[in-house]
């Protein structure tokens, strides 16, 4: 059975934990991130897929191998069945460029793929337990709504989501506060950083942690990362010549979870040549690839704001993966930085050349792919651009770039008509703990 260890455990006999332990712990006790101790071999199972294999079948095949020994076939089937009511779509643009649309889930962004799997897996592991788990999340908007939506209806989990009063967009607020059921939204009179610090204080309080069975679902959780590798397998399985062609993925990156998941897929047997680390001006990783110097900085605000990260949390996983060897990292990764002005121009060019709208994050990935294809890659190389969000989520930027009004996706239109349900709280630890104990203790 596959075991996981912490990036910071340097002992000769590191603590090896199960998938279940990693997902309920989130972060390792030493502050490191969990990663697979051995490399599972998914080569044969990948070869058994063909362009008509459905997404669920691909995921089932991969999961049976990845989690064998820890989860029964029925458990795996239930998790996959409960997690995925949506799937990626591959769109070919010609000239060796392809788009993998990852925004057809409920929150219209790729984080649905990780969040829904994690929720279904936690729910499955908690079956038959006497106690429910309580997931705490602080959000500045998007991530929290994907996570909350993913846990909606999981009978073994309660979710409490904290968001800063007056600091999230009206659409985001609707997404957070209209779910009901096992999802409780707390509107706190404070900044996002204060929300995050309240959550941290709850986790540091032993008594509270144990009484409420607290757990987190943030983006460093391996239960969100591993399922993000599945759509890389799916994308290549759409091509008849996946074993002989030269395939690259262009990944719009912030915390580098998405890209790390792709590198895992490659290590586990996916025949992909490499990855483009496409960033906005928060380009510490492209800079590292060029100079060998890693220089984190406070983040700059850009139009592709889900990628405004000055010190990507998954860099630690990447370094461990490549054994801190810059040369082996360079063999597989290419960095490319895209400015806001270039992002706007890319959105306009895509509309002109193909007749549809893309969001600013996808635009970064698309332009990076175009540049590398023309300047640095072999002729005949095919590039698959990951489309991380629906254009309708960024109407201001789409308008600025193209003068067009994007259609809001149906899934999001619906929430606009639902009533807001949120509990208002002041920014004190006392009020917060008191609420948790009264409600869930
Ligand atoms: C989170 C996010 C990204 C960045 O993904 P990472 O895994 O953090 O690199 C890119 N685009 C969108 C729309 C996102 O929400």
């Amino acid at each position: 059975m596959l075991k996981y260890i912490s990036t910071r455990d340097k002992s000769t006999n590191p603590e090896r934990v199960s998938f279940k332990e990693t997902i309920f712990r989130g972060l390792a006790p030493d502050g490191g991130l969990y990663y697979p101790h051995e490399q599972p071999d998914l080569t044969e199972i990948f070869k058994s897929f063909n362009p008509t294999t459905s997404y669920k079948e691909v995921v089932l095949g991969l999961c049976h191998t990845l989690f064998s020994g820890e989860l029964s076939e029925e458990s795996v089937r239930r998790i996959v069945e409960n997690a995925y009511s949506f799937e990626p779509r591959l769109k070919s643009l010609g000239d060796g460029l392809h788009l993998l649309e990852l925004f057809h889930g409920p929150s219209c962004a790729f984080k649905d793929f990780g969040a829904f799997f994690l929720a279904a897996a936690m729910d499955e592991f908690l079956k038959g337990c006497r106690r429910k788990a309580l997931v705490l999340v602080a959000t500045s908007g998007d991530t929290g709504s994907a996570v909350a939506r993913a846990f909606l209806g999981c009978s073994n989990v309660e979710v409490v989501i904290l968001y800063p009063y007056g600091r999230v967009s009206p659409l985001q607020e609707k997404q957070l506060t209209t779910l009901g059921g096992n999802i409780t939204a707390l509107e706190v009179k404070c900044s996002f950083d204060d929300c995050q610090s309240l959550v941290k204080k709850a986790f540091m309080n032993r008594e509270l942690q144990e009484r409420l069975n607290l757990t987190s679902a943030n983006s460093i959780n391996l239960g969100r990362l591993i399922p993000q590798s599945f759509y890389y397998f799916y994308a290549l399985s759409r091509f008849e010549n996946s074993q002989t062609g030269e395939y690259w993925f262009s990944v719009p990156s912030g915390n580098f979870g998405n890209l790390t998941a792709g590198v895992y897929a490659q290590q586990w047997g996916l025949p992909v040549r490499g990855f483009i680390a496409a960033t906005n001006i928060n380009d510490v990783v492209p800079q590292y690839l060029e100079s060998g110097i890693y220089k984190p900085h406070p983040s700059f605000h850009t139009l592709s704001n889900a990628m405004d990260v000055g010190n990507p949390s998954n860099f630690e996983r990447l370094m461990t993966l490549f054994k801190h060897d810059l040369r082996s990292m360079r063999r597989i990764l290419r960095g490319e930085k895209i400015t806001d002005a270039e992002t706007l121009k890319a959105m306009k060019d895509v509309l002109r050349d193909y007749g549809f709208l893309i969001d600013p994050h996808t635009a970064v990935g698309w332009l990076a792919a175009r540049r590398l294809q023309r300047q640095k890659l072999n002729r005949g190389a095919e590039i698959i651009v990951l489309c991380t969000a629906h254009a309708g989520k960024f109407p201001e930027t789409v308008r600025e770039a193209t003068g067009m009004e994007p259609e809001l996706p149906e899934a999001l239109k619906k929430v606009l008509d639902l009533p807001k349900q949120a509990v208002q709280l002041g920014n004190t630890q006392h009020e917060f703990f008191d609420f948790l104990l009264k409600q869930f203790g």
Side-chain angles (χ1 to χ4, degrees), residues 109-111 228 252-258 306-307 359 361 388-389:
F110 84 95
K111 290 194 176 72
Q228 289 182 5
S253 295
N255 264 320
F256 281 79
N258 212 0
M307 293 158 35
D359 93 286
H361 306 82
T388 51

Side-chain angles (χ1 to χ4, degrees), residues 43-209:
T43 314
E44 288 310 311
I45 183 81
F46 175 70
K47 283 186 185 156
S48 75
F49 303 147
N50 66 57
T52 64
T53 312
S54 73
Y55 188 62
K56 267 193 209 163
E57 286 174 81
V58 166
V59 175
L60 267 175
L62 299 170
C63 286
H64 281 318
T65 309
L66 281 172
F67 301 118
S68 68
E70 180 160 3
L71 282 163
S72 70
E73 283 205 14
E74 288 137 66
S75 288
V76 167
R77 194 170 287 279
R78 262 196 303 269
I79 292 172
V80 175
E81 216 36 71
N82 291 336
Y84 294 129
S85 60
F86 52 92
E87 56 179 42
R89 288 185 205 157
L90 188 80
K91 204 164 168 173
S92 287
L93 301 177
D95 293 334
L97 278 181
H98 313 269
L99 300 180
L100 185 69
E101 295 180 348
L102 299 172
F103 50 70
H104 298 290
S107 83
C108 304
F110 84 95
K111 290 194 176 72
D112 286 336
F113 284 91
F116 275 76
F117 189 90
L118 175 67
M122 279 191 175
D123 208 39
E124 181 68 26
F125 279 123
L126 289 166
K127 256 198 188 133
C129 285
R130 278 171 299 126
R131 294 169 67 203
K132 287 188 178 189
L134 179 60
V135 171
L136 289 184
V137 215
T139 186
S140 54
D142 255 14
T143 304
S145 54
V147 170
R149 180 62 189 68
F151 279 95
L152 180 65
C154 288
S155 50
N156 304 311
V157 188
E158 291 282 344
V159 176
V160 170
I161 178 152
L162 288 82
Y163 71 96
Y165 167 82
R167 311 263 179 110
V168 303
S169 78
L171 174 64
Q172 284 172 336
E173 185 173 41
K174 282 284 186 176
Q175 284 182 274
L176 294 170
T177 60
T178 56
L179 294 165
N182 59 327
I183 315 296
T184 305
L186 295 183
E187 182 178 17
V188 193
K189 285 225 160 59
C190 66
S191 68
F192 167 63
D193 289 335
D194 296 332
C195 284
Q196 211 155 25
S197 120
L198 283 175
V199 167
K200 277 203 186 117
K201 280 180 189 147
F203 282 119
M204 283 186 312
N205 187 309
R206 258 250 143 85
E207 194 201 327
L208 200 70
Q209 168 120 39

Side-chain angles (χ1 to χ4, degrees), residues 108-111 142-143 219 224-225 228 231 251-261 278 304-309 312-314 359-362 386-390 393-394:
C108 304
F110 84 95
K111 290 194 176 72
D142 255 14
T143 304
S219 67
R224 284 178 58 182
L225 197 73
Q228 289 182 5
Y231 45 72
V251 190
S253 295
N255 264 320
F256 281 79
N258 212 0
L259 188 137
T260 303
S304 45
N305 57 22
M307 293 158 35
D308 294 349
V309 182
S313 50
N314 281 294
D359 93 286
H361 306 82
T362 302
L386 300 194
C387 304
T388 51
H390 191 289
K393 296 189 88 172
F394 302 91

Side-chain angles (χ1 to χ4, degrees), residues 132-360:
K132 287 188 178 189
L134 179 60
V135 171
L136 289 184
V137 215
T139 186
S140 54
D142 255 14
T143 304
S145 54
V147 170
R149 180 62 189 68
F151 279 95
L152 180 65
C154 288
S155 50
N156 304 311
V157 188
E158 291 282 344
V159 176
V160 170
I161 178 152
L162 288 82
Y163 71 96
Y165 167 82
R167 311 263 179 110
V168 303
S169 78
L171 174 64
Q172 284 172 336
E173 185 173 41
K174 282 284 186 176
Q175 284 182 274
L176 294 170
T177 60
T178 56
L179 294 165
N182 59 327
I183 315 296
T184 305
L186 295 183
E187 182 178 17
V188 193
K189 285 225 160 59
C190 66
S191 68
F192 167 63
D193 289 335
D194 296 332
C195 284
Q196 211 155 25
S197 120
L198 283 175
V199 167
K200 277 203 186 117
K201 280 180 189 147
F203 282 119
M204 283 186 312
N205 187 309
R206 258 250 143 85
E207 194 201 327
L208 200 70
Q209 168 120 39
E210 271 161 28
R211 267 181 71 181
L212 300 174
N213 212 8
L214 293 183
T215 188
S216 94
N218 58 19
S219 67
I220 50 91
N221 196 305
L222 204 63
R224 284 178 58 182
L225 197 73
I226 286 183
Q228 289 182 5
S229 65
F230 302 158
Y231 45 72
Y232 289 90
F233 285 94
Y234 177 77
L236 272 206
S237 74
R238 302 300 94 182
F239 296 92
E240 295 286 0
N241 71 341
S242 61
Q243 296 292 342
T244 50
E246 176 176 334
Y247 287 93
W248 291 77
F249 283 94
S250 178
V251 190
S253 295
N255 264 320
F256 281 79
N258 212 0
L259 188 137
T260 303
V263 180
Y264 283 143
Q266 183 186 43
Q267 295 219 326
W268 301 343
L270 187 71
V272 45
R273 173 64 187 79
F275 302 86
I276 301 169
T279 69
N280 57 33
I281 56 168
N282 294 283
D283 65 339
V284 283
V285 174
Q287 271 193 32
Y288 173 74
L289 287 165
E290 197 167 306
S291 67
I293 300 165
Y294 185 69
K295 219 169 35 178
H297 56 69
S299 66
F300 305 118
H301 182 69
T302 75
L303 294 173
S304 45
N305 57 22
M307 293 158 35
D308 294 349
V309 182
N311 188 12
S313 50
N314 281 294
F315 190 69
E316 195 167 318
R317 276 198 180 104
L318 280 175
M319 289 308 268
T320 306
L321 250 168
F322 289 104
K323 304 195 166 60
H324 298 262
D325 179 23
L326 183 60
R327 265 195 310 180
S328 63
M329 203 186 245
R330 279 179 174 154
R331 270 197 286 276
I332 291 163
L333 303 188
R334 303 278 183 276
E336 193 69 26
K337 169 182 81 173
I338 307 293
T339 66
D340 271 359
E342 291 167 338
T343 302
L344 290 171
K345 170 119 188 341
M347 292 167 76
K348 199 172 161 183
D349 289 350
V350 166
L351 178 64
R352 182 198 60 207
D353 294 348
Y354 308 110
F356 56 83
L357 299 169
I358 56 172
D359 93 286

